[in-house]
Structures are given as structure tokens and as C-alpha cells.
Amino acid sequence: FGPEQLRDTGLVFEKDDGSGFVDRFRGRLMFPIQNEMGKIIGFAGRALAEEQQPKYLNSPETELYHKSHVLYNLHRARKPMRAQSHAILVEGYMDVIGLWGGGVGEAVASCGTALVNQQVRILHRHTDTVVVNFDPDTAGVTATERSIDMLLEEGLRIRVLGLPGGLDPDEFVQERGADAYRDLLGKAPRYFDWLADRARTRFDIRSAEGRVDALKFLLPPIQRLPDKFERIAVANDLAHLLGLDAGLI
């Protein structure tokens, strides 16, 4: 391939002085990104040295690669997703690979960007249930809340898996094994129970002000539920949690 073609794929970029081209991913660990048919359309490269920034470098948007239209590992995960009747949504490439190495094949990840509605619609073509298993740090919790909103809007059933010990999925499988992961996966609470625990942590629901704040936090995801009967059931749970009249909610 000529240098102009390589530039168009994002594999190289041109020097400022026009004297030649530079390998975009030099000195990085490479993760091929494939479309639903398994064709390679882009790459992610992880830094191997501390001074390399950013930690992850992704292919730019090209005629072949549109980040919002791709879920990492979907071409392999489709069959396990059907067999397990759910998908696992994780944050990173290594989480997907770590789970796959342990025999948990139904995991996918967004490609170097926050989850977007187009990816949620793609996911819904293959399953009706998604287990969100993001990192337990502040950024991961915020991303989980945001993902719940989008998944609800698409009408998906959602459970949230939080791993103990501050471990991400890859670390957990390495330290405790895939059987322990599967055991926790089967016990993952539905999204409302996870959000309710978040509300208890963030707000003092013993006070009137805290209950109002918790209500404002928990109402929007309930309102996004497309099924009327599920909305009523979850609203009743919310009333019980906050000690409020169910009819009011």
C-alpha cells in the first residue's frame, strides 16, 4: 500500500514539514478492531512505556471505521450472547480479553469512547438483557449511571455487576477465576436496586431534604421505562425505599 492509502487508514500521519510519514502506533501493543463480520477496520494501541501519552491511542474516523457503529468483540460475542441470553458491557479491551480467556465470551466494549445510542441499538439487535460491569472507580460509576439511561431508552433489561475489592473484570478473573465471576454475574442486581444503593450512599434518606434529592435522582430512570407495568412496580419499590406514598410517585 502506498503512503497516502496508509494515511487514509490512520495507520500513519504526515510530518508537519511534509518530509515523510510517521507510524501512528509505534511502540504500542495493538488491539485490532473488527466489525460484526470480523473484518479489521481499525486499531487501538496501548502504551508500553510510562512516558507514552495517551495511554490508549485509537484509529481516527475513516471511511471504514466509525467508532459509534462498533462494539469491540461483537463478532465473537454474538453466539455466546445468544447462549447466555445476555450481553456483558465492560469498559476496556483488556476486560473483554480477560473474560474471554476465562471462558466468559459474551462481553463487549465501546471502542475508546463513551457508550453512544447507536452502539446500544446495535447491542439490542442481539440481546434484550445487558449486564453493565464497569470499573468500580468514580469514573466507572458515573459511566454506569449514564449507560443505564441509554439502555433504558432502548427498552433493554439491565442488571449491574459491581466486583469486590476494587477489581476490574480482567483483574477479578485473573485473581479469583471465571467460576467466581460467573457466580457473581448470576447474582447481579437489577439496575434499580443498584441505583437505590447509590442513592443511599449519596443522600441522607432519613431527612426530608435527602428523600427529595433521592427522589429526583431515581425518578428519571423510572420514567424512561417503556413498559407501564414495570414502571408501576419500580415506582412502588421507590416508594418503599423512601417511605413515601406510592400513589404520589
Side-chain angles (χ1 to χ4, degrees), residues 15-187:
K15 292 182 180 179
D16 291 338
D17 60 9
S19 61
F21 296 86
V22 178
D23 176 6
R24 181 183 297 274
F25 296 105
R26 181 171 180 166
R28 289 177 176 269
L29 176 66
M30 299 301 291
F31 297 85
I33 296 170
Q34 289 140 294
N35 63 16
E36 286 190 57
M37 306 310 296
K39 301 290 187 181
I40 295 176
I41 56 174
F43 293 92
R46 190 196 188 285
L48 294 176
E50 287 292 329
E51 62 273 12
Q52 276 184 301
Q53 294 296 326
K55 181 178 178 181
Y56 277 95
L57 186 64
N58 296 283
S59 288
E61 296 269 316
T62 68
E63 290 185 40
L64 289 175
Y65 178 46
H66 302 281
K67 295 176 186 177
S68 63
H69 292 205
V70 181
L71 285 163
Y72 182 70
N73 196 50
L74 181 59
H75 66 293
R76 294 188 188 93
R78 289 182 299 176
K79 188 175 180 180
M81 282 161 53
R82 287 194 295 271
Q84 298 294 333
S85 300
H86 66 247
I88 303 171
L89 183 63
V90 297
E91 283 191 77
Y93 308 112
M94 287 304 301
D95 292 327
V96 170
I97 292 171
L99 289 175
W100 183 277
V104 182
E106 65 270 28
V108 296
S110 57
C111 291
T113 183
L115 188 72
V116 297
N117 290 323
Q118 178 66 27
Q119 291 168 321
V120 173
R121 287 191 287 271
I122 292 169
L123 198 55
H124 200 183
R125 293 208 304 263
H126 301 281
T127 186
D128 291 323
T129 302
V130 176
V131 182
V132 181
N133 183 197
F134 289 168
D135 294 353
D137 56 17
T138 301
V141 170
T142 301
T144 299
E145 292 178 6
R146 183 175 175 274
S147 298
I148 286 172
D149 286 344
M150 285 187 286
L151 294 165
L152 285 175
E153 286 176 1
E154 184 61 23
L156 285 153
R157 292 189 291 271
I158 310 161
R159 293 186 286 133
V160 181
L161 175 57
L163 298 175
L167 299 174
D168 64 30
D170 176 40
E171 294 167 337
F172 186 91
V173 170
Q174 287 189 48
E175 288 191 16
R176 308 191 189 185
D179 288 342
Y181 183 87
R182 282 281 187 202
D183 183 56
L184 290 178
L185 184 65
K187 300 172 183 174

